[in-house]
Amino acid sequence: MMQFMLLFSRQGKLRLQKWYVAHQDKVKKKITRELITTILARKPKMCSFLEWKDCKIVYKRYASLYFCCAVEQEDNELLTLEIIHRYVELLDKYFGSVCELDIIFNFEKAYFILDELLVGGEIQETSKKNVLKAIAAQDVLQEVGNDDTYDI
Amino acid sequence: MNAESGFNPGLNMATIRQAINETIERVRMPTPTRLRDLIRQIRAAKTQAEERAVVNRECAYIRSTFREEDSVWRCRNIAKLFYIHMLGYPAHFGQLECLKLIASPKFTDKRIGYLGAMLLLDERQDVHLLITNCLKNDLNSPTQFVVGLALCTLGAIASPEMARDLAGEIEKLMKSPNAYIRKKAVLCAFRIIRRVPELMEIFLPATRSLLNEKNHGILITGVTLITEMCENSPDTLNHFKKIVPNLVRILKNLILAGYSPEHDVSGVSDPFLQVKILRLLRILGRNDPDASEAMNDILAQVATNTETSKNVGNTILYETVLTIMDIKSEGGLRVLAVNILGRFLLNNDKNIRYIALHTLLRTVHVDISAVQRHRSTILECLKDPDVTIRKRAMELSFALVNTQNIRAMAKELLIFLEKADPEFKAQCSSSMVNSAERYAPTIRWHLDTLLNILIAAGNYVRDDVVSSTIQIISSSPSNEQGVITVKLWESIQETLDNQPLLQVAVWCIGEFGDSLLYGDDLEFTLERPTESIVIELFNKLLCSNQVNMVSKQYALVSLTKLSTRLKAGQGEIKGIVEAFGSHLNVDLQQRGVEFSQLFGSYNHLRTSLLEKMPAMTITRMNGNTEGSGEVEPSNIKVTDEKSSTNGRSNTDTLLDLLGSGDDIIMSTTSSVIPSNTTNTVESNNLLDLLGDIDLSASTAPVIVSNNNNNLLSSPVTMSIFDDNENTNISDVSGVFSLNGDSNIPDNFDLGLDAMPQSPPTNAKIVTALDKNDLFVQLSMVNQSDYQQINMITTNNSKDTLEQYLFQAAVPKSFQLQMMSPSGSVLLPGGKITQEMRVKNNSSNAVLRMKLRISYLCNGNPVLEQCEVSEFGK
């Protein structure tokens, strides 16, 4: 089960955080800071895995963004890389060649997409098409009451 | 005017009224900043202070809008709050507003509201009861996406209370005909079981049919749920054994079915589902020959047919290998699995190489010979630029060392050790010492390897390496002692920086200096050093700033010993030793003063006192030097030292006395030795110092305190110490008269009976256990180099407690030595005392102790465990 997923920039700015385990805000911040520092310090040629506390950290950089997940000992770290990749593909399809700015300005959409891919830290849907269909349908539902109060 | 009509076609008076209100409000209130405008503003801030100002202003505004009852802008304001929260600012004041959004009938509000619930709420929040009610409502919504939002939220933030309250709803939704809802409900069930395992029963009936579905979403969530259930209880595991054929069939279909664009990932059909199934098969096949048999074929198919050019293929192979190694699979299949890992080791992708090493380490115990075949590749990984890979390779290399390959492996590992990062050196050198001890082909090789380890690891070796090396040299044949002494002598010519090496070298030169200078049976052609060169080196290192105090202590003892090994040069040595009589360091000073007595009034004793040490019997201080980091009972060293007649049983303390002198440093108060202990370790030190003087006549209990080091001091030199608040010394020293015959022990008795036995005043006292009328107290006294902890157990009950056993464990960074207890039977009101010594190897560690106390009360065994951590620093 995935414990959490963090997206952060090369400058160390947090762009998205999804927690599947309960921690106090203070603890979350501490973990986030610690991992961002550790990962940014690693050289690009190094492997994508870290042993950290009783978890395995799996991370991968896409352009200026780092995707970082904590999974449990029994989880397959190579599969975690595939999950990250799947999420990137979904973002890319949704935004159309996604870039960091898309995620900054539409972070809520990025969360919605992740929530259609994973529930409770486990994969719920392995078909890209189904995920995007569900997101599109909900976006339509949102636009039905189309006036400016719905435009956040 | 009617914005609602699209979403809620059921037009009625209430919605019309709401729409009118909203319109009025929109006119009345200014439009708040939009989310993207706020993000722009924040990003435009040039300094942290500027950013904070923007955030504070916006937060203040958002707070003010919360006071409005029915703000139409709530959704927008909350969304802004999420962004502010992500930047690290507090945003918890928005929690209740999120709940209001969730309760709103509009989908946008719900979507943002649930997002907020997942972001801002954690399990500690008391708003949980409120959100549980919201979830309950929405789980019954007719709109599938509203149900979806509620399920997703429950999956992320389910607390045990929520899990209990909503398990029934989830079970209903697990049977929903709508796949979108069903898959989410299944994962919610997974989450609920995670939080509250006993809720599993509710979900069992609805679970099995999940595997009959075609929909991959339901299949993968179903497999995940079953995996969790199987790991949860052995009964459930047995219950699900019968699904093995179903799983095999699903897997087979995935592999054999042609290209399906929906689930294809680089030519592999749904790797996510394949991996989940393989993992479940592993759990079902573990220790079950029948189940394993049923999956052999499909595993072989997956292992041979999976495309390996991409990460996906390797992902599946990795999971397959784990399953093959874990279940009762056929031998041929295991070879296949290890070969896959062998190929992984050669892969260009670092991640794959890491996985290979990691998995080989897990499987090395299953089939070591299969892993051995890849030894050379593994050794190559020791040179990998990636530290994570090097670490794994090192661990795996040590797991592969055996009698056959020790020479070759040690050679490679030494090269690694030499170049390794400091963080590896300690672990690597200790592991090498262990391997060398277990597999050394010859003594010569063993000693040479230890020397090379000391050279390569430098100051990073752990303390135990020094003492165990000395022990091994001490118990070697004399010609080997001579050979290694010469090598050690050469090794310290270049530099004096390497303290552990220096300590071993100096000890050996002191013991075996005659072989170094005058040995004739050596196969060396080198020029032997002259006496004056050796003395000159000692002089140099005793004065050097590079050399630490412990090494100097070794050197001073060693130099004194050397005086009896040399033909001439006693005068020079005497001069150096006497010079230390006024050294600033109290320990060195004391040694200087005492040893110089051996050149003066007790000159006739010097030769016999400074004879070679008898061969030490090797006792492993620490069975577990591999850094597992855990405190296990096996780490406890219980030294059971009964009164020994020859006084030479404890080699470790012997070493201390002549080596670091840790035990004989002048301490402010003498240690308190329980009055009923017969022969404590210190007395061994003392007797050992006397070397070959026959003390076997001693049968009377001897009690000696730390002060025994004043054995050699005369009343004249005592005056130096009178200032050092060590009043006990004079009591003892006056009584001692050394005349070399065997009635010394009687004198000891005299001297020590006079010693005060009051408890030390600076002791910290901790109550470790106070239960069933058993009262265990620990009092700690800081000794110069270790912490002395005295355990006192008092039996306040009316029963006699028998077979009382007190055990303690400390974190790895400490060394624990336990003295023998004063007894094992506790009469009513009786006491048992036991002394422990704790040495701190890393300065910043805080002492914790795990205690285990067992005894028989009226014939019934009782076990108490507790932890003590209040010693402070």
Coordinates of all heavy atoms in Angstrom, one line a residue, chain A residues 88-152:
Chain A
V88 N 1.7 10.2 -14.7 CA 2.3 11.2 -15.5 C 1.6 11.2 -16.9 O 1.2 12.2 -17.5 CB 3.8 11.1 -15.7 CG1 4.3 12.1 -16.7 CG2 4.5 11.3 -14.4
E89 N 1.4 10.0 -17.4 CA 0.7 9.9 -18.7 C -0.7 10.4 -18.6 O -1.2 11.1 -19.5 CB 0.6 8.4 -19.1 CG 1.8 7.8 -19.6 CD 1.7 6.3 -19.9 OE1 0.8 5.6 -19.3 OE2 2.3 5.8 -20.9
L90 N -1.4 10.2 -17.5 CA -2.8 10.7 -17.3 C -2.8 12.2 -17.3 O -3.6 12.8 -18.0 CB -3.4 10.1 -16.1 CG -3.8 8.6 -16.1 CD1 -4.1 8.1 -14.7 CD2 -4.9 8.4 -17.1
L91 N -1.9 12.8 -16.6 CA -1.8 14.2 -16.5 C -1.5 14.8 -17.9 O -2.1 15.8 -18.3 CB -0.6 14.7 -15.5 CG -0.9 14.4 -14.1 CD1 0.4 14.6 -13.3 CD2 -2.0 15.3 -13.5
D92 N -0.7 14.1 -18.6 CA -0.3 14.5 -19.9 C -1.5 14.5 -20.9 O -1.7 15.5 -21.6 CB 0.8 13.6 -20.4 CG 1.7 14.3 -21.5 OD1 2.2 15.4 -21.2 OD2 1.7 13.8 -22.6
K93 N -2.2 13.5 -20.8 CA -3.4 13.3 -21.6 C -4.4 14.4 -21.3 O -5.0 15.0 -22.1 CB -4.0 12.0 -21.5 CG -3.5 10.9 -22.4 CD -4.4 10.6 -23.5 CE -3.7 9.8 -24.6 NZ -3.2 8.5 -24.2
Y94 N -4.6 14.6 -20.0 CA -5.6 15.5 -19.5 C -5.3 17.0 -19.9 O -6.1 17.7 -20.4 CB -5.8 15.4 -18.0 CG -6.9 16.3 -17.5 CD1 -8.2 15.8 -17.5 CD2 -6.7 17.5 -16.9 CE1 -9.3 16.6 -17.0 CE2 -7.7 18.3 -16.4 CZ -9.0 17.8 -16.5 OH -10.0 18.6 -16.0
F95 N -4.1 17.4 -19.6 CA -3.7 18.8 -19.8 C -3.2 19.0 -21.2 O -3.1 20.1 -21.7 CB -2.6 19.2 -18.8 CG -3.1 19.4 -17.4 CD1 -2.8 18.5 -16.4 CD2 -3.9 20.4 -17.1 CE1 -3.3 18.6 -15.1 CE2 -4.4 20.6 -15.8 CZ -4.1 19.7 -14.8
G96 N -2.8 17.9 -21.9 CA -2.1 18.0 -23.2 C -0.7 18.5 -23.0 O -0.5 19.7 -22.8
S97 N 0.3 17.6 -23.1 CA 1.7 17.8 -22.8 C 1.8 18.7 -21.5 O 2.0 19.9 -21.6 CB 2.5 18.4 -23.9 OG 2.0 19.5 -24.4
V98 N 1.6 18.1 -20.4 CA 1.6 18.7 -19.1 C 2.9 19.4 -18.8 O 4.0 18.9 -19.2 CB 1.2 17.7 -18.1 CG1 2.2 16.7 -17.9 CG2 0.8 18.4 -16.7
C99 N 2.9 20.5 -18.1 CA 4.1 21.1 -17.6 C 3.8 21.5 -16.1 O 2.7 21.4 -15.6 CB 4.6 22.3 -18.4 SG 3.5 23.7 -18.2
E100 N 4.9 21.9 -15.4 CA 4.8 22.1 -14.0 C 3.7 23.2 -13.7 O 2.9 23.1 -12.8 CB 6.1 22.6 -13.5 CG 6.2 22.6 -11.9 CD 7.5 23.2 -11.4 OE1 8.5 23.1 -12.1 OE2 7.5 23.7 -10.3
L101 N 3.6 24.2 -14.6 CA 2.7 25.3 -14.4 C 1.2 24.8 -14.4 O 0.4 25.3 -13.7 CB 2.8 26.4 -15.5 CG 4.0 27.3 -15.3 CD1 4.1 28.3 -16.4 CD2 3.9 28.1 -14.0
D102 N 0.9 23.8 -15.3 CA -0.4 23.2 -15.3 C -0.8 22.7 -13.9 O -1.9 22.9 -13.5 CB -0.5 22.1 -16.3 CG -0.4 22.6 -17.7 OD1 -1.0 23.6 -18.0 OD2 0.3 21.9 -18.6
I103 N 0.2 22.0 -13.3 CA -0.1 21.4 -12.0 C -0.2 22.5 -10.9 O -0.9 22.4 -10.0 CB 1.0 20.4 -11.7 CG1 0.8 19.2 -12.7 CG2 0.8 19.8 -10.3 CD1 1.9 18.2 -12.7
I104 N 0.6 23.6 -11.1 CA 0.6 24.6 -10.1 C -0.8 25.3 -10.1 O -1.5 25.4 -9.1 CB 1.6 25.7 -10.3 CG1 3.0 25.1 -10.1 CG2 1.4 26.9 -9.4 CD1 4.2 26.0 -10.5
F105 N -1.3 25.6 -11.3 CA -2.5 26.4 -11.4 C -3.8 25.6 -11.4 O -4.9 26.1 -11.2 CB -2.5 27.3 -12.7 CG -1.6 28.5 -12.5 CD1 -0.3 28.5 -13.0 CD2 -2.1 29.6 -11.9 CE1 0.5 29.7 -12.8 CE2 -1.4 30.8 -11.7 CZ 0.0 30.8 -12.2
N106 N -3.6 24.3 -11.6 CA -4.8 23.4 -11.6 C -4.5 22.2 -10.7 O -4.8 21.1 -11.0 CB -5.1 22.9 -13.0 CG -5.3 24.0 -14.0 OD1 -6.3 24.6 -14.0 ND2 -4.2 24.3 -14.8
F107 N -3.9 22.5 -9.5 CA -3.6 21.4 -8.6 C -4.8 20.6 -8.2 O -4.7 19.4 -8.1 CB -2.9 22.0 -7.4 CG -3.7 22.8 -6.5 CD1 -4.5 22.2 -5.5 CD2 -3.8 24.2 -6.6 CE1 -5.2 23.0 -4.6 CE2 -4.6 24.9 -5.8 CZ -5.3 24.3 -4.8
E108 N -6.0 21.2 -8.1 CA -7.1 20.4 -7.7 C -7.5 19.4 -8.8 O -7.8 18.2 -8.4 CB -8.3 21.3 -7.4 CG -9.2 21.8 -8.6 CD -8.5 23.0 -9.4 OE1 -7.4 23.4 -9.1 OE2 -9.1 23.5 -10.3
K109 N -7.2 19.7 -10.1 CA -7.4 18.7 -11.1 C -6.5 17.6 -11.0 O -6.8 16.4 -11.2 CB -7.3 19.3 -12.5 CG -8.2 20.5 -12.8 CD -9.6 20.0 -13.1 CE -10.4 21.2 -13.6 NZ -11.8 21.0 -13.3
A110 N -5.2 17.9 -10.6 CA -4.2 16.9 -10.5 C -4.6 15.9 -9.4 O -4.4 14.7 -9.5 CB -2.8 17.5 -10.2
Y111 N -5.2 16.5 -8.3 CA -5.7 15.6 -7.2 C -6.8 14.7 -7.7 O -6.9 13.5 -7.4 CB -6.2 16.4 -6.0 CG -5.1 17.0 -5.1 CD1 -4.9 18.3 -4.9 CD2 -4.3 16.1 -4.4 CE1 -3.9 18.8 -4.1 CE2 -3.4 16.5 -3.5 CZ -3.2 17.9 -3.3 OH -2.2 18.4 -2.5
F112 N -7.7 15.3 -8.5 CA -8.9 14.6 -8.9 C -8.4 13.4 -9.8 O -9.0 12.3 -9.7 CB -9.9 15.4 -9.8 CG -10.5 16.6 -9.0 CD1 -10.9 17.8 -9.6 CD2 -10.7 16.4 -7.6 CE1 -11.5 18.8 -8.9 CE2 -11.3 17.5 -6.9 CZ -11.7 18.6 -7.5
I113 N -7.4 13.6 -10.6 CA -7.0 12.5 -11.5 C -6.3 11.4 -10.7 O -6.6 10.3 -10.9 CB -6.0 13.1 -12.5 CG1 -6.7 14.1 -13.5 CG2 -5.3 12.0 -13.3 CD1 -5.8 14.9 -14.4
L114 N -5.5 11.8 -9.7 CA -4.9 10.8 -8.8 C -5.9 10.0 -8.1 O -5.8 8.8 -7.9 CB -4.0 11.6 -7.8 CG -3.1 10.6 -6.9 CD1 -2.2 9.8 -7.8 CD2 -2.3 11.5 -6.0
D115 N -7.0 10.7 -7.7 CA -8.1 10.0 -6.9 C -8.8 9.0 -7.8 O -9.5 8.1 -7.3 CB -9.0 11.0 -6.3 CG -8.4 11.6 -5.1 OD1 -7.4 11.1 -4.6 OD2 -8.9 12.7 -4.7
E116 N -8.8 9.2 -9.1 CA -9.4 8.2 -10.0 C -8.4 7.0 -10.3 O -8.9 6.0 -10.9 CB -9.9 8.8 -11.3 CG -11.2 9.7 -11.1 CD -12.4 8.9 -10.6 OE1 -12.5 7.7 -10.9 OE2 -13.2 9.4 -9.9
L117 N -7.1 7.2 -10.0 CA -6.2 6.2 -10.3 C -6.0 5.3 -9.0 O -5.9 4.1 -9.1 CB -4.8 6.8 -10.7 CG -3.7 5.8 -11.0 CD1 -4.0 4.9 -12.1 CD2 -2.4 6.6 -11.2
L118 N -5.9 6.0 -7.9 CA -5.6 5.3 -6.6 C -6.7 5.6 -5.6 O -7.2 6.7 -5.6 CB -4.3 5.7 -6.0 CG -3.0 5.6 -6.8 CD1 -1.8 6.2 -6.0 CD2 -2.7 4.2 -7.1
V119 N -7.1 4.5 -4.9 CA -7.9 4.8 -3.7 C -7.3 4.1 -2.5 O -6.8 2.9 -2.6 CB -9.3 4.2 -3.9 CG1 -10.1 4.1 -2.6 CG2 -10.2 5.1 -4.9
G120 N -7.1 4.8 -1.4 CA -6.5 4.2 -0.2 C -5.1 3.7 -0.5 O -4.7 2.8 0.2
G121 N -4.4 4.3 -1.4 CA -3.0 3.9 -1.6 C -2.9 2.7 -2.5 O -1.8 2.1 -2.6
E122 N -4.0 2.2 -3.1 CA -3.9 1.0 -4.0 C -4.5 1.4 -5.4 O -5.4 2.3 -5.4 CB -4.7 -0.2 -3.4 CG -4.0 -0.8 -2.2 CD -2.8 -1.7 -2.6 OE1 -2.5 -1.9 -3.8 OE2 -2.1 -2.1 -1.6
I123 N -4.1 0.7 -6.4 CA -4.6 1.0 -7.7 C -6.1 0.6 -7.8 O -6.4 -0.5 -7.4 CB -3.8 0.3 -8.8 CG1 -2.3 0.5 -8.6 CG2 -4.3 0.7 -10.2 CD1 -1.5 -0.3 -9.6
Q124 N -6.9 1.4 -8.4 CA -8.3 1.0 -8.6 C -8.6 0.8 -10.0 O -9.6 0.2 -10.3 CB -9.2 2.1 -8.0 CG -9.0 3.5 -8.6 CD -10.2 4.4 -8.4 OE1 -11.3 3.9 -8.5 NE2 -10.0 5.6 -8.1
E125 N -7.8 1.4 -10.9 CA -8.2 1.3 -12.3 C -6.9 1.2 -13.2 O -6.0 2.0 -13.0 CB -9.0 2.5 -12.7 CG -9.5 2.6 -14.1 CD -10.3 1.3 -14.5 OE1 -11.4 1.2 -13.9 OE2 -9.9 0.5 -15.3
T126 N -6.8 0.2 -14.0 CA -5.6 0.0 -14.8 C -5.8 0.5 -16.3 O -4.9 0.4 -17.1 CB -5.2 -1.4 -14.8 OG1 -6.2 -2.3 -15.3 CG2 -4.8 -1.9 -13.4
S127 N -7.0 1.0 -16.5 CA -7.3 1.4 -17.9 C -7.2 3.0 -17.9 O -8.0 3.6 -17.2 CB -8.6 0.9 -18.4 OG -9.2 1.9 -19.3
K128 N -6.3 3.5 -18.7 CA -6.2 5.0 -18.8 C -7.5 5.6 -19.3 O -8.0 6.6 -18.8 CB -5.1 5.3 -19.8 CG -3.7 5.4 -19.2 CD -2.7 5.9 -20.3 CE -2.1 4.7 -21.0 NZ -1.0 5.1 -21.9
K129 N -8.1 4.9 -20.2 CA -9.3 5.4 -20.9 C -10.4 5.6 -19.8 O -11.1 6.6 -19.7 CB -9.8 4.4 -21.9 CG -10.7 5.0 -23.0 CD -11.1 3.9 -24.0 CE -12.1 3.0 -23.4 NZ -12.5 1.8 -24.2
N130 N -10.6 4.6 -18.9 CA -11.6 4.7 -17.9 C -11.4 5.8 -16.9 O -12.3 6.5 -16.5 CB -11.7 3.4 -17.1 CG -12.4 2.3 -17.9 OD1 -12.9 2.6 -19.0 ND2 -12.4 1.1 -17.4
V131 N -10.1 6.1 -16.6 CA -9.8 7.2 -15.7 C -10.2 8.5 -16.3 O -10.9 9.3 -15.7 CB -8.3 7.2 -15.3 CG1 -8.0 8.4 -14.5 CG2 -7.9 5.9 -14.5
L132 N -9.8 8.7 -17.5 CA -10.0 10.0 -18.2 C -11.5 10.2 -18.4 O -12.0 11.3 -18.3 CB -9.2 10.0 -19.5 CG -7.7 10.1 -19.3 CD1 -7.0 9.9 -20.6 CD2 -7.3 11.4 -18.6
K133 N -12.2 9.0 -18.7 CA -13.7 9.1 -18.9 C -14.3 9.6 -17.7 O -15.2 10.5 -17.7 CB -14.2 7.7 -19.3 CG -15.0 7.7 -20.6 CD -15.2 6.3 -21.1 CE -15.9 5.4 -20.1 NZ -16.0 4.0 -20.6
A134 N -13.9 9.0 -16.5 CA -14.5 9.4 -15.2 C -14.3 10.9 -14.9 O -15.2 11.6 -14.5 CB -14.0 8.5 -14.1
I135 N -13.1 11.3 -15.2 CA -12.7 12.7 -14.9 C -13.5 13.7 -15.8 O -14.1 14.7 -15.4 CB -11.2 13.0 -15.2 CG1 -10.4 12.2 -14.1 CG2 -10.9 14.5 -15.1 CD1 -10.4 12.7 -12.8
A136 N -13.6 13.3 -17.1 CA -14.3 14.1 -18.0 C -15.8 14.3 -17.6 O -16.4 15.4 -17.6 CB -14.2 13.6 -19.5
A137 N -16.4 13.1 -17.2 CA -17.8 13.1 -16.8 C -18.0 14.0 -15.6 O -19.0 14.8 -15.5 CB -18.2 11.7 -16.5
Q138 N -17.1 14.0 -14.7 CA -17.3 14.8 -13.5 C -17.0 16.3 -13.8 O -17.7 17.2 -13.2 CB -16.3 14.4 -12.4 CG -16.7 13.0 -11.8 CD -15.6 12.5 -10.9 OE1 -15.6 12.9 -9.7 NE2 -14.8 11.5 -11.3
D139 N -16.1 16.6 -14.7 CA -15.9 18.0 -15.2 C -17.2 18.5 -15.8 O -17.6 19.7 -15.6 CB -14.8 18.1 -16.1 CG -13.4 17.9 -15.4 OD1 -13.4 17.9 -14.2 OD2 -12.4 17.8 -16.2
V140 N -17.9 17.7 -16.6 CA -19.1 18.1 -17.2 C -20.1 18.4 -16.1 O -20.8 19.4 -16.1 CB -19.6 17.0 -18.1 CG1 -21.1 17.3 -18.6 CG2 -18.7 16.9 -19.4
L141 N -20.2 17.5 -15.2 CA -21.2 17.6 -14.1 C -20.9 19.0 -13.3 O -21.9 19.7 -12.9 CB -21.0 16.5 -13.1 CG -22.1 16.0 -12.2 CD1 -23.4 15.8 -13.1 CD2 -21.8 14.7 -11.5
Q142 N -19.7 19.4 -13.2 CA -19.3 20.6 -12.6 C -19.7 21.8 -13.4 O -20.1 22.8 -12.9 CB -17.8 20.6 -12.4 CG -17.3 21.3 -11.1 CD -15.8 21.2 -10.9 OE1 -15.3 20.1 -11.1 NE2 -15.2 22.2 -10.5
E143 N -19.6 21.6 -14.7 CA -19.9 22.8 -15.6 C -21.4 23.0 -15.9 O -21.8 24.0 -16.4 CB -19.1 22.6 -16.9 CG -17.7 23.0 -16.8 CD -16.8 22.3 -17.9 OE1 -17.4 21.9 -18.9 OE2 -15.6 22.3 -17.7
V144 N -22.2 22.0 -15.5 CA -23.6 22.1 -15.7 C -24.2 23.4 -15.1 O -24.9 24.1 -15.8 CB -24.3 20.8 -15.2 CG1 -25.8 21.1 -15.1 CG2 -24.1 19.6 -16.0
G145 N -23.8 23.6 -13.9 CA -24.2 24.9 -13.3 C -23.3 26.0 -13.7 O -22.6 26.5 -12.9
N146 N -23.2 26.3 -15.0 CA -22.1 27.2 -15.4 C -22.4 28.6 -15.2 O -23.1 29.3 -15.9 CB -21.9 26.9 -16.9 CG -20.6 27.5 -17.3 OD1 -19.9 28.0 -16.5 ND2 -20.3 27.4 -18.6
D147 N -22.0 29.1 -14.1 CA -21.8 30.6 -13.9 C -20.6 30.8 -13.1 O -19.9 29.9 -12.7 CB -23.1 31.2 -13.2 CG -23.1 30.8 -11.8 OD1 -22.1 30.9 -11.1 OD2 -24.2 30.4 -11.3
D148 N -20.2 32.1 -12.9 CA -18.9 32.3 -12.4 C -18.6 31.9 -11.0 O -17.5 31.8 -10.6 CB -18.5 33.8 -12.6 CG -19.4 34.7 -11.9 OD1 -20.4 34.2 -11.4 OD2 -19.1 35.9 -11.9
T149 N -19.7 31.6 -10.2 CA -19.4 31.1 -8.8 C -18.8 29.7 -8.9 O -18.2 29.3 -7.9 CB -20.6 31.1 -8.0 OG1 -21.6 30.2 -8.6 CG2 -21.2 32.5 -7.8
Y150 N -19.0 29.0 -10.0 CA -18.4 27.7 -10.1 C -17.0 27.7 -10.6 O -16.3 26.7 -10.5 CB -19.3 26.8 -11.0 CG -20.6 26.6 -10.4 CD1 -21.7 27.4 -10.6 CD2 -20.8 25.5 -9.5 CE1 -22.9 27.3 -10.0 CE2 -22.0 25.3 -8.9 CZ -23.1 26.2 -9.1 OH -24.3 26.0 -8.5
D151 N -16.6 28.8 -11.1 CA -15.3 28.9 -11.6 C -14.4 29.3 -10.5 O -14.4 30.5 -10.0 CB -15.3 30.0 -12.7 CG -13.9 30.2 -13.3 OD1 -13.0 29.3 -13.0 OD2 -13.7 31.1 -14.0
I152 N -13.6 28.4 -10.0 CA -12.8 28.7 -8.9 C -11.5 29.4 -9.3 O -10.7 29.8 -8.6 CB -12.5 27.5 -8.0 CG1 -11.7 26.4 -8.8 CG2 -13.7 26.9 -7.4 CD1 -11.2 25.3 -8.0

